[in-house]
Amino acid sequence: MRPPAMTRIAFLLALLPVFAFAAESRDTKVINDRTDVMSDGRWIYNDFPKGLAEAQRTGKPLLVVLRCVP
Amino acid sequence: MCVRLVQANDLDLTLFQFDYDLTFAAFFMNADRTIYGRFGSRSDQKQAEKDISLEGFQKTLAAALDLHKSYPKNKGILAGKQPRPVTMKRPEEYPSLAGKYKPTIDYEGKVAASCLHCHQVREAERLAYRSQNKPIPDAVLYPWPMPSLIGLTLGPQEKAKVIQIAPGSPAARAGFRRADEILLLDGQAIISTADVQWVLQNASADSLKAVVLRGPNSVNLEIALPQDWRVKNDIAWRATTWDLRRMATGGLVLKHDPGTNLALRVDYVGQYNEHAAGKRAGFKKDDVIVQVDGETRPMSESELFRFLLQNKFKGDKVPITVTRGSEKVELALPMQ
């Protein structure tokens, strides 16, 4: 099972960009969200087929977060 | 595998069926697309913490991983959690969205404007009914009922643990007690409030069987659903309600004054385009609606939507009586 700390990090990463860039324009928020989450390396960004293929390859379950950024 | 989706453009609606008014929702699933559970609930525009928390998400995630460990032996208790047949497989198949969005966000151009928002899916679904002069069904008007609708308040820090039961409610009559943990509802494994909402969203019978963990024991309960239980769902907080106001009240935002007769106070008058239809019809802030097409029974704004959107159609003009100070004024509200 994934350690609780990792779970918390995953959840915070899912939420963080919206709070962190609240003062930025909507376009900038969306662009920064992609940059930040992709650079983290733990998330497959906006590509469900890729995530599904990876899950099938590794046998791991999927967590899919739908997050409205702007 | 963690996947983050930030758009509803080209979203697979045969799989991702959730409360489209949410700005945060999560799915836990197997690589064969079997859904273990959903997370993400809301009943207030501003206070998200009323319904979800980091702790609750953590417990739901742990429970989803437990379901994964037991899969596929547990397919029976997952069967009801799977997506239902849909009319449109992608949002862009709805007429009101067709041809307006590309499959992905345009990161090199108009970034935010190119994003198809989740709430637009719900709006498009309602528009499909409205544009064909068909009544909008209850399940579409009142989506994703919260457990409070049957009298249950679940702890936001828990998976699906009861922290309060409304006296006299269906849950109270079924015998729920505080600290009961819902294990199964309608035969489905429950790991979140959103899972309970999924069961309620799809409930078609007049009762639901539940299994709860009470202390060391599991207890079987049966919830009788009253007629029109879904209609008590307050949808005022939802982003998609904005478009319902355009259709039904011409942009008026109404507040319910409790009492034995209809009393809906005009709290806001829309100012622009179709949201100004109420204004053009003569409605003013603080008018109190006391009669709608002959109806004087008490209704919330949400219940008025149902009355109008299931009985009146585009082009109709609905006679409405308001009180304005000490005088009564007769107005005609155009349906859109």
Side-chain angles (χ1 to χ4, degrees):
Chain A
M1 183 183 296
R2 196 176 190 178
M6 293 296 287
T7 315
R8 294 171 71 90
I9 290 167
F11 188 66
L12 284 171
L13 279 169
L15 291 174
L16 184 64
V18 167
F19 297 113
F21 305 109
E24 297 173 354
S25 76
R26 298 175 79 207
D27 284 3
T28 308
K29 278 184 193 174
V30 179
I31 291 167
N32 285 348
D33 181 77
R34 184 173 66 157
T35 305
D36 293 343
V37 176
M38 287 180 79
S39 65
D40 171 75
R42 278 174 285 200
W43 291 81
I44 294 169
Y45 199 83
N46 239 6
D47 192 343
F48 177 68
K50 183 180 175 184
L52 193 62
E54 280 295 298
Q56 287 164 348
R57 187 180 65 79
T58 61
K60 290 182 178 178
L62 275 157
L63 163 64
V64 181
V65 168
L66 292 113
R67 185 62 165 127
C68 183
V69 179
Chain B
M1 280 305 138
C2 297
V3 179
R4 180 176 174 89
L5 302 179
V6 297
Q7 61 178 48
N9 306 53
D10 203 32
L11 188 68
D12 183 353
L13 301 179
T14 68
L15 181 62
F16 294 111
Q17 297 173 9
F18 62 104
D19 185 346
Y20 298 121
D21 274 289
L22 298 178
T23 55
F24 174 88
F27 283 76
F28 311 94
M29 64 177 78
N30 188 279
D32 69 3
R33 295 166 63 106
T34 297
I35 290 173
Y36 295 135
R38 296 168 174 82
F39 184 87
S41 300
R42 195 152 197 174
S43 62
D44 189 283
Q45 196 168 26
K46 294 178 180 169
Q47 298 178 59
E49 68 276 10
K50 268 177 63 180
D51 302 305
I52 59 169
S53 74
L54 193 58
E55 292 83 357
F57 179 79
Q58 185 176 317
K59 289 173 183 173
T60 295
L61 178 53
L65 291 172
D66 286 343
L67 287 172
H68 179 67
K69 280 183 196 164
S70 304
Y71 188 79
K73 286 181 189 167
N74 53 6
K75 270 193 165 182
I77 56 172
L78 299 176
K81 307 184 84 168
Q82 304 315 308
R84 303 301 159 94
V86 289
T87 315
M88 306 295 179
K89 294 179 179 174
R90 296 279 188 281
E92 294 87 342
E93 291 179 15
Y94 282 105
S96 61
L97 298 173
K100 294 181 179 172
Y101 293 92
K102 293 179 179 172
T104 58
I105 291 174
D106 179 8
Y107 283 98
E108 308 304 321
K110 292 181 178 176
V111 183
S114 66
C115 179
L116 199 163
H117 295 259
C118 294
H119 66 81
Q120 290 177 267
V121 179
R122 179 70 64 207
E123 288 164 355
E125 184 182 22
R126 288 171 176 160
L127 273 172
Y129 286 100
R130 194 67 175 161
S131 62
Q132 297 175 66
N133 278 350
K134 290 181 179 174
I136 302 177
D138 284 347
V140 179
L141 267 182
Y142 302 102
W144 290 82
M146 286 294 282
S148 57
L149 224 60
I150 55 169
L152 288 172
T153 303
L154 304 182
Q157 281 85 24
E158 304 291 339
K159 285 184 299 178
K161 185 177 266 188
V162 177
I163 59 169
Q164 200 172 326
I165 301 133
S169 66
R173 287 194 292 274
F176 276 87
R177 294 186 194 168
R178 277 186 69 166
D180 281 352
E181 177 139 13
I182 304 173
L183 301 176
L184 295 171
L185 189 59
D186 198 28
Q188 302 178 33
I190 298 299
I191 61 171
S192 68
T193 301
D195 278 354
V196 175
Q197 289 180 269
W198 169 261
V199 172
L200 294 175
Q201 171 70 12
N202 293 294
S204 55
D206 53 10
S207 69
L208 291 170
K209 288 183 176 166
V211 178
V212 301
L213 186 64
R214 183 175 293 165
N217 306 313
S218 63
V219 177
N220 294 305
L221 302 171
E222 185 158 358
I223 309 162
L225 298 172
Q227 193 177 9
D228 290 341
W229 61 276
R230 197 186 291 267
V231 177
K232 298 295 177 191
N233 194 354
D234 181 6
I235 56 172
W237 67 272
R238 293 175 173 274
T240 53
T241 298
W242 186 245
D243 200 45
L244 291 183
R245 293 192 178 105
R246 178 191 62 77
M247 296 176 190
T249 64
L252 304 176
V253 179
L254 305 172
K255 298 288 181 190
H256 175 50
D257 292 337
T260 53
N261 291 312
L262 180 64
L264 285 165
R265 184 174 49 79
V266 177
D267 194 53
Y268 175 80
V269 180
Q271 298 295 311
Y272 304 104
N273 304 319
E274 289 193 320
H275 281 273
K279 179 185 178 183
R280 289 192 291 272
F283 288 86
K284 295 184 186 301
K285 187 175 185 319
D286 292 328
D287 281 354
V288 178
I289 295 174
V290 294
Q291 191 171 84
V292 177
D293 197 31
E295 287 282 348
T296 57
R297 63 188 160 93
M299 283 186 266
S300 66
E301 183 195 51
S302 299
E303 290 168 296
L304 180 66
F305 291 147
R306 184 194 198 214
F307 177 72
L308 294 175
L309 295 171
Q310 293 186 347
N311 298 291
K312 305 293 175 186
F313 301 97
K314 285 178 78 172
D316 288 348
K317 289 203 170 184
V318 179
I320 289 186
T321 307
V322 303
T323 56
R324 184 176 296 161
S326 58
E327 60 176 326
K328 277 195 173 181
V329 180
E330 303 295 331
L331 299 168
L333 183 64
M335 297 292 100
Q336 304 182 108

